[in-house]
Amino acid sequence: VNEDLLSERKKCEFNVEELTNYLDGGAKATENRRKLERKVLSTKGLIDNVPEEFLSHKEKYENAVRKAVLFYKAMKDAEDPNLSEQERANTTYRSLLPSAVFKDNSPFTLHVAMFIPAILGHADEEQKKYWMNRASKMEIIGTYAQTELGHGTFIRGLETTATYDSKTEEFVMHSPTLTSYKWWPGSLAHTANYCVVMAHLYSQGKSCGIQPFIIQLRDEETHMPLPGIKLGEIGAKLGFNTVNNGFLGFENHRIPRNRMLMKNAQVLKDGTFRKSPNSKLTYGTMVYVRVVIVNGMANQLARAVTIAVRYSAVRRQSELKPDAGEPQILDFVTQQHKLFIAIASSHAFSLTAKWLTRMYYKVTADLEKGNMDELPELHAIACCLKAVTSWDTSAMTERCRTSCGGHGYMLSSNLPQIYGLVTAAVTYEGENTVLMLQTARSLVKAFEQAAAGKPLSPTMSYLSEKIDKK
Amino acid sequence: QKWDNSVDGIIKGFRRVATGKVASAVASMKKYIKRGLGPEDAWNMSSVQLVAASEAHCRAFILSTYRSEVDRTTGSLSEPLRRLMNELVQLYAIYWTLEKLGDLLLYTSISENDIRELQSTYEDLLGRIRPNAVGLVDAFDFSDQILNSTLGAYDGRVYERLMEEALKSPLNAEPVNQSFHKYLKPFMQGKL
């Protein structure tokens, strides 16, 4: 071990293991996480001998699929069946296992992160039973397609149509324009064979809003795209190059009626559309994804600052005092200013994510009982938290990179790849400025309520203080 | 209200900034509506202020949550670690105070003396955290495989790893690349 690092570890004034346990949520959680990581990372063939960056675009994808299969199996084998759901959640809360195996993410990410949650959130009981059985066994690989070439965050602007034909009891899926092509979903290009597609439903000649459909994209044996389905990959990006982002277009492709996911809205055989009792029920999934993003930002920032701080302890440069030799760059106060805020921010985001998770579960439980009182508050705070944490993490990760001088520019430092992963969060799952304006809408409403003497939700209650005093 | 340099005082200050910014954005929208704009256009015209108001609200929220969660969860920790966790909260609060001075000067009673004192406390905090910096990142407990970095491995063999990785470049597999014979040599010898 480098001597400077040895001496730093001797100087440390607190028990490192105690802090690790605190961050994990207890000694048992640390033990479980380490056990899982050890088991998975010791799987033969999972860690590359040849750095991924020296492979071609196509080779990177093929290598990522190979590793995705190994990784999935290793995770399954390493799972401790005796752990409770909460213990399982604690085990993976801080784990960045996928980031270790896939520098640019797994082509299966969307199956777990979006396809399965979409089925759980939108399918009725019968549909859920059938599709979850297949998806959880990986008999099928799915993704979630909402964003189109011409529309992203503005969901009502989506152009893909699903027109119900009551004669055949089918939906006709169609992409009427180039801009209506689905664009961006991970796994979509060459990995997934099923997809939850958000499309504008028309029945009995009337618009019935944006609804979810589960659609088979590829033959289960040959993996060839089905007739009327156009699929492809969208090309190289700043990061996430192994996640297999794709495009998807429909040419009057027909699917049976039961392929519309009907938990929240239904189309009957004759084409009668039954509206969801409350469209707000679907907000839950969106909020959950934002909770995951805030926690992910905390973990990736921790990873970036670990690299930068250790390097800053090893690297010696310049002279603070004449003839005193080159100091560790960590002794420069400007370096401390760049890095220590990243450590504090990672803690701040992690604790905020835990708070947000608790609130999410409370609101979800309330929703099941028909109580939606706290949903707008949760939505408002989740929107701005996703935006501010992803902005701050991008800026601080980039600062970690530049704090390592020229060596931080090397892909082998992994800092550029971490930046690629975190900066994507600024624009995915709701573009940040749009999300900030959604929070602003709640703030303006709360401000007007305060002026009218009405009570405010806890996170905005301070807005009434100044008004009271006035 | 008198400015207070404590973390609680800073949280109050950030909330005043958020309230001030929301009030200002609302006033701006009203002004545009009075001038004849529809509510949607007035919203669009005020949207830069609205985003700033959201950011101020979010910063106040993160800061107060960070503070309250550390208070709530560190009771059973050893004294040195609890102290360090509180120093990080203080560092976070002061960092953002110094970053957002313009807003605080506009909406709170923070003074030049307060700012000088905060700057000095901030520099003092950096010094206090310095001996624990490596310990703090070690505590994140990332294995070398998860860090996947030549610069950040636990043993600090930075320069050795940089060289080992460089040698994996396919260009280093042969001493002379074929492009020399195909392009460079004819070009340099004027035979193109």
Side-chain angles (χ1 to χ4, degrees), chain A residues 127-177:
Chain A
Q127 290 173 322
K128 207 184 289 180
K129 198 173 157 196
Y130 177 75
W131 292 110
M132 279 307 294
N133 182 39
R134 299 203 73 196
S136 60
K137 286 194 231 158
M138 298 294 280
E139 278 180 15
I140 56 172
I141 298 171
T143 183
Y144 177 84
Q146 181 172 296
T147 299
E148 294 172 357
L149 194 49
H151 289 94
T153 306
F154 181 61
I155 297 168
R156 276 176 292 151
L158 298 179
E159 295 176 88
T160 303
T161 55
T163 309
Y164 185 64
D165 179 350
S166 58
K167 285 186 209 118
T168 57
E169 293 180 20
E170 288 173 322
F171 293 101
V172 183
M173 305 301 298
H174 191 58
S175 307
T177 59

Side-chain angles (χ1 to χ4, degrees), chain A residues 33 303 337 399 413 436 462, chain B residues 54 57 95 122 141 146:
Chain A
R33 177 179 56 75
R303 192 156 74 132
H337 170 63
R399 211 196 293 185
S413 77
M436 292 297 264
Y462 68 87
Chain B
S54 271
H57 167 69
Y95 176 92
Y122 180 72
D141 197 33
I146 282 177

Side-chain angles (χ1 to χ4, degrees), chain A residues 151-212:
Chain A
H151 289 94
T153 306
F154 181 61
I155 297 168
R156 276 176 292 151
L158 298 179
E159 295 176 88
T160 303
T161 55
T163 309
Y164 185 64
D165 179 350
S166 58
K167 285 186 209 118
T168 57
E169 293 180 20
E170 288 173 322
F171 293 101
V172 183
M173 305 301 298
H174 191 58
S175 307
T177 59
L178 175 64
T179 51
S180 72
Y181 268 58
K182 294 294 177 189
W183 190 272
W184 273 121
S187 317
L188 179 64
H190 298 92
T191 317
N193 52 4
Y194 281 80
C195 183
V196 171
V197 174
M198 299 303 281
H200 197 143
L201 169 66
Y202 290 91
S203 188
Q204 297 178 334
K206 282 181 265 175
S207 160
C208 306
I210 304 294
Q211 303 297 341

Side-chain angles (χ1 to χ4, degrees), chain A residues 117-129:
Chain A
I119 293 172
L120 293 172
H122 297 297
D124 65 26
E125 288 309 313
E126 195 183 332
Q127 290 173 322
K128 207 184 289 180
K129 198 173 157 196

Side-chain angles (χ1 to χ4, degrees), chain A residues 2 8-9 13 18 20 22 33-34 94 303 310 315 331 337 358 392 399 412-414 436 462, chain B residues 54 57 59 69 72-73 78 95 122 130 132 138-141 146-147 149-150 152 154-155 159:
Chain A
N2 173 280
E8 290 293 332
R9 286 173 181 137
E13 295 160 340
E18 188 186 5
T20 303
Y22 171 74
R33 177 179 56 75
R34 284 179 181 156
R94 279 202 323 115
R303 192 156 74 132
R310 285 186 182 157
R315 177 72 168 187
D331 284 334
H337 170 63
R358 285 201 304 277
D392 284 359
R399 211 196 293 185
S412 71
S413 77
N414 207 13
M436 292 297 264
Y462 68 87
Chain B
S54 271
H57 167 69
R59 298 235 172 262
E69 288 294 297
R72 192 177 69 80
T73 56
S78 63
Y95 176 92
Y122 180 72
R130 165 67 186 87
N132 294 308
D138 281 351
F140 286 127
D141 197 33
I146 282 177
L147 285 175
S149 169
T150 45
Y154 187 84
D155 63 10
Y159 301 113

Side-chain angles (χ1 to χ4, degrees), chain A residues 119-365:
Chain A
I119 293 172
L120 293 172
H122 297 297
D124 65 26
E125 288 309 313
E126 195 183 332
Q127 290 173 322
K128 207 184 289 180
K129 198 173 157 196
Y130 177 75
W131 292 110
M132 279 307 294
N133 182 39
R134 299 203 73 196
S136 60
K137 286 194 231 158
M138 298 294 280
E139 278 180 15
I140 56 172
I141 298 171
T143 183
Y144 177 84
Q146 181 172 296
T147 299
E148 294 172 357
L149 194 49
H151 289 94
T153 306
F154 181 61
I155 297 168
R156 276 176 292 151
L158 298 179
E159 295 176 88
T160 303
T161 55
T163 309
Y164 185 64
D165 179 350
S166 58
K167 285 186 209 118
T168 57
E169 293 180 20
E170 288 173 322
F171 293 101
V172 183
M173 305 301 298
H174 191 58
S175 307
T177 59
L178 175 64
T179 51
S180 72
Y181 268 58
K182 294 294 177 189
W183 190 272
W184 273 121
S187 317
L188 179 64
H190 298 92
T191 317
N193 52 4
Y194 281 80
C195 183
V196 171
V197 174
M198 299 303 281
H200 197 143
L201 169 66
Y202 290 91
S203 188
Q204 297 178 334
K206 282 181 265 175
S207 160
C208 306
I210 304 294
Q211 303 297 341
F213 301 84
I214 189 160
I215 298 177
Q216 183 176 358
L217 305 174
R218 292 175 176 272
D219 182 276
E220 288 190 27
E221 276 305 311
T222 65
H223 209 52
M224 281 296 286
L226 297 185
I229 286 179
K230 281 186 172 179
L231 283 170
E233 200 232 6
I234 63 170
K237 296 140 291 174
L238 194 151
F240 282 97
N241 279 300
T242 53
V243 90
N244 199 220
N245 299 88
F247 63 77
L248 161 67
F250 298 104
E251 285 174 336
N252 294 309
H253 177 72
R254 286 177 171 264
I255 56 169
R257 188 178 67 92
N258 67 3
R259 295 295 169 95
M260 176 175 154
L261 295 177
M262 298 212 196
K263 179 183 176 186
N264 303 314
Q266 298 88 38
V267 171
L268 306 185
K269 283 182 182 176
D270 67 352
T272 306
F273 176 68
R274 279 204 187 141
K275 219 175 171 185
S276 149
N278 198 321
S279 59
K280 284 180 182 169
L281 286 171
T282 52
Y283 274 100
T285 322
M286 283 157 63
V287 171
Y288 178 72
V289 173
R290 285 169 196 153
V291 173
V292 173
I293 293 172
V294 175
N295 189 48
M297 292 299 109
N299 288 339
Q300 293 293 0
L301 185 55
R303 192 156 74 132
V305 76
T306 299
I307 296 167
V309 166
R310 285 186 182 157
Y311 176 71
S312 302
V314 170
R315 177 72 168 187
R316 288 177 171 271
Q317 192 162 289
S318 306
E319 279 187 340
L320 268 171
K321 294 168 198 156
D323 303 324
E326 291 184 293
Q328 293 165 282
I329 58 173
L330 197 52
D331 284 334
F332 291 99
V333 176
T334 48
Q335 192 79 351
Q336 296 164 14
H337 170 63
K338 287 176 198 172
L339 299 180
F340 295 174
I341 184 61
I343 299 173
S345 298
S346 173
H347 286 196
F349 298 165
S350 173
L351 288 168
T352 306
K354 281 178 181 158
W355 180 95
L356 195 58
T357 308
R358 285 201 304 277
M359 185 169 182
Y360 168 77
Y361 283 117
K362 182 183 178 300
V363 173
T364 308

Side-chain angles (χ1 to χ4, degrees), chain A residues 307-308 311-312 314-317 329 400-417, chain B residues 149-152 158-163:
Chain A
I307 296 167
Y311 176 71
S312 302
V314 170
R315 177 72 168 187
R316 288 177 171 271
Q317 192 162 289
I329 58 173
C400 285
R401 183 185 73 75
T402 52
S403 78
C404 295
H407 294 332
Y409 198 64
M410 297 292 298
L411 290 185
S412 71
S413 77
N414 207 13
L415 290 166
Q417 291 92 332
Chain B
S149 169
T150 45
L151 307 187
V158 168
Y159 301 113
E160 294 87 341
R161 277 199 170 77
L162 278 168
M163 182 56 85

